Amino acid sequence: MSSSLTTTALPLRSVQVLEKPLDWTALWQAWSALGPAALFESGGPLSEASRWVILAEGASQETASEQDVWKLLDEVGADQGSFDPFPVALSKSWFGLFSYEFGHQLIVPKTKSDIRLRAPGHYFFKPTRLLVYDRQEKELHQFGDVDEVAVDRSAQNFKVGPVQAQVTAEQYESMVRKVQAYITAGDIYQANLAQSFQASWQGKASTLYRI
């Protein structure tokens, strides 16, 4: 672990209004090829919990260890001199992950577990650049070493054609009635019916999971 961890804030470079979101997956892929990167995005309906999209990259500092994660959290938390509103507070943040083995040790009593960590229990990094998008206000906050070239706007040109079902409504209704008959006869108690849909699209394949 680094002997002196910092929460020095990244400078706010700009705030832009974007009517459509960026291609976050493609941008994360490009940034992760340069160094550690973390993407946090919710695909659910807009709410206070799912309002923000966060992308962090680069490592001015990093730490990985098999233990003493509480020391890391205490040290980073102790360096917070004042309260900052969101998303400015993220400019001081560290990002990282816990390993599966580390989580298992927190759940399983030590007396009943013979797990030995073969990988770091956690990894955290202090990013050198940060993008934070407010889905509600449509504002993109750029912190640290972010330039205009890195902000890929290609997702704004993503288009999807008409979505077409591969079975007719009559065919699907027939499938449902067969399932009802099987349930009535006592052969099954439930069934999961599925059907496929197709649509043409233009843009990057990395954005398809949002459709």
Side-chain angles (χ1 to χ4, degrees):
M1 180 181 297
S2 173
S3 58
S4 58
L5 303 180
T6 179
T7 57
T8 302
L10 296 173
L12 177 62
R13 297 300 186 188
S14 67
V15 178
Q16 303 177 34
V17 176
L18 300 179
E19 291 302 324
K20 295 184 179 180
L22 302 175
D23 187 344
W24 292 106
T25 305
L27 191 53
W28 171 79
Q29 290 174 333
W31 281 19
S32 62
L34 304 175
L39 172 63
F40 302 88
E41 180 182 20
S42 173
L46 182 61
S47 67
E48 193 60 34
S50 63
R51 175 177 173 178
W52 304 94
V53 181
I54 304 166
L55 177 60
E57 189 272 331
S60 61
Q61 284 187 294
E62 55 186 347
T63 177
S65 175
E66 296 183 1
Q67 54 187 355
D68 264 351
V69 67
W70 310 119
K71 181 179 179 181
L72 164 69
L73 298 179
D74 286 343
E75 189 170 348
V76 171
D79 196 27
Q80 299 288 346
S82 61
F83 173 80
D84 292 305
F86 213 85
V88 176
L90 290 174
S91 66
K92 298 181 179 180
S93 297
W94 285 65
F95 296 84
L97 55 84
F98 295 102
S99 70
Y100 174 84
E101 290 81 4
F102 182 85
H104 196 273
Q105 282 199 338
L106 294 179
I107 298 172
V108 180
K110 293 182 179 180
T111 56
K112 298 182 180 180
S113 174
D114 60 353
I115 292 178
R116 296 292 183 271
L117 294 177
R118 297 179 178 84
H122 65 270
Y123 169 79
F124 284 88
F125 68 97
K126 181 71 170 66
T128 58
R129 55 180 172 172
L130 179 69
L131 295 179
V132 184
Y133 180 62
D134 185 344
R135 296 174 60 200
Q136 178 173 300
E137 301 298 332
K138 310 297 184 183
E139 291 180 344
L140 178 67
H141 302 253
Q142 303 182 64
F143 299 88
D145 301 331
V146 180
D147 53 40
E148 289 297 321
V149 177
V151 180
D152 183 0
R153 302 175 185 272
S154 60
Q156 301 188 26
N157 298 320
F158 191 87
K159 298 180 181 179
V160 179
V163 178
Q164 298 179 338
Q166 297 306 291
V167 298
T168 65
E170 291 76 14
Q171 290 173 323
Y172 193 78
E173 181 180 353
S174 176
M175 294 165 60
V176 172
R177 295 192 181 280
K178 287 182 179 180
V179 169
Q180 291 175 327
Y182 285 132
I183 293 176
T184 301
D187 295 331
I188 62 174
Y189 65 89
Q190 72 175 29
N192 295 321
L193 293 179
Q195 60 174 311
S196 62
F197 295 83
Q198 291 185 357
S200 60
W201 56 274
Q202 295 178 345
K204 290 188 176 182
S206 59
T207 60
L208 268 176
Y209 81 98
R210 295 184 177 88
I211 305 304

